[in-house]
């Protein structure tokens, strides 16, 4: 079934024109809700992925989770690959410890002592901006490849 066929069938089922302004406005939210229910109610193994498409910035403790495969909903593990600039399959995975932002700010308050990150903390999980950001501690001393493992939300059907 194509998206157009789905829209026409749903409109027929709810007895409304598929071009009705209210129907067209509400449809993407209805699809997102249904997909969310599927993610919550089913333990779909293929939602767990590893994405190593992003790297740290040298001397920049801020990192935005990659979105090349999908938007991370749950992060199970973050690993920094050493040596710097090495692909995951050729380097060593250094699994980071999840902590609070207060821990990182207390232990690693400045760029002094930059090195291979050992910890990470969330700084935002804004559903509005779809950006998920983490902090590293200590600050990365080079551009290290980062491998994030977790559950993602695939591109919504409404897109």
């Amino acid at each position: 079934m194509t998206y157009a066929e789905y829209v026409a069938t749903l409109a027929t089922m709810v007895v409304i024109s598929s071009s009705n302004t209210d129907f067209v406005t509400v449809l993407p939210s209805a699809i997102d809700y249904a997909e969310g229910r599927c993610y919550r109610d089913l333990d779909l193994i293929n939602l767990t992925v590893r994405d190593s498409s992003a790297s740290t910035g040298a001397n920049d403790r801020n990192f935005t989770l990659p979105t090349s495969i999908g938007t991370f909903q749950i992060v199970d593990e973050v690993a920094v690959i050493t040596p710097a600039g090495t692909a995951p399959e050729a380097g060593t995975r250094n699994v980071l410890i999840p902590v609070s932002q207060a821990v990182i700010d207390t232990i690693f308050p400045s760029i002094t002592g930059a090195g291979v990150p050992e910890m990470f903390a969330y700084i935002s999980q804004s559903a509005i901006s779809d950006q998920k950001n983490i902090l590293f501690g200590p600050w990365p001393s080079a551009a290290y490849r980062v491998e994030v493992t977790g559950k993602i939300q695939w591109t919504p059907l409404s897109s």
Side-chain angles (χ1 to χ4, degrees), residues 50-58 60-63 65 75 77-97 104 114-121 134-149:
R50 288 180 186 241
D51 188 338
S52 58
S53 63
S55 297
T56 66
D60 183 3
R61 72 182 190 153
N62 297 298
F63 180 76
L65 296 174
V75 173
E77 182 177 280
V78 176
V80 171
I81 310 302
T82 55
T86 305
E89 57 278 358
T92 301
R93 284 177 179 80
N94 301 279
V95 178
L96 306 185
I97 300 167
I104 290 180
V116 177
E118 301 168 8
M119 303 173 182
F120 79 95
I134 60 175
L135 290 177
F136 289 124
W139 299 43
S141 59
Y144 297 101
R145 184 74 65 93
V146 178
E147 182 179 74
V148 181
T149 305

Side-chain angles (χ1 to χ4, degrees), residues 37-54:
R37 279 298 299 265
C38 291
Y39 292 141
R40 287 187 300 276
D41 293 348
L42 303 173
D43 188 13
L44 303 172
I45 191 87
N46 67 346
L47 293 180
T48 300
V49 299
R50 288 180 186 241
D51 188 338
S52 58
S53 63

Side-chain angles (χ1 to χ4, degrees), residues 51 53 64-72 130-131:
D51 188 338
S53 63
T64 301
L65 296 174
T67 56
S68 63
I69 299 174
T71 302
F72 279 95
D130 278 343
Q131 295 294 314

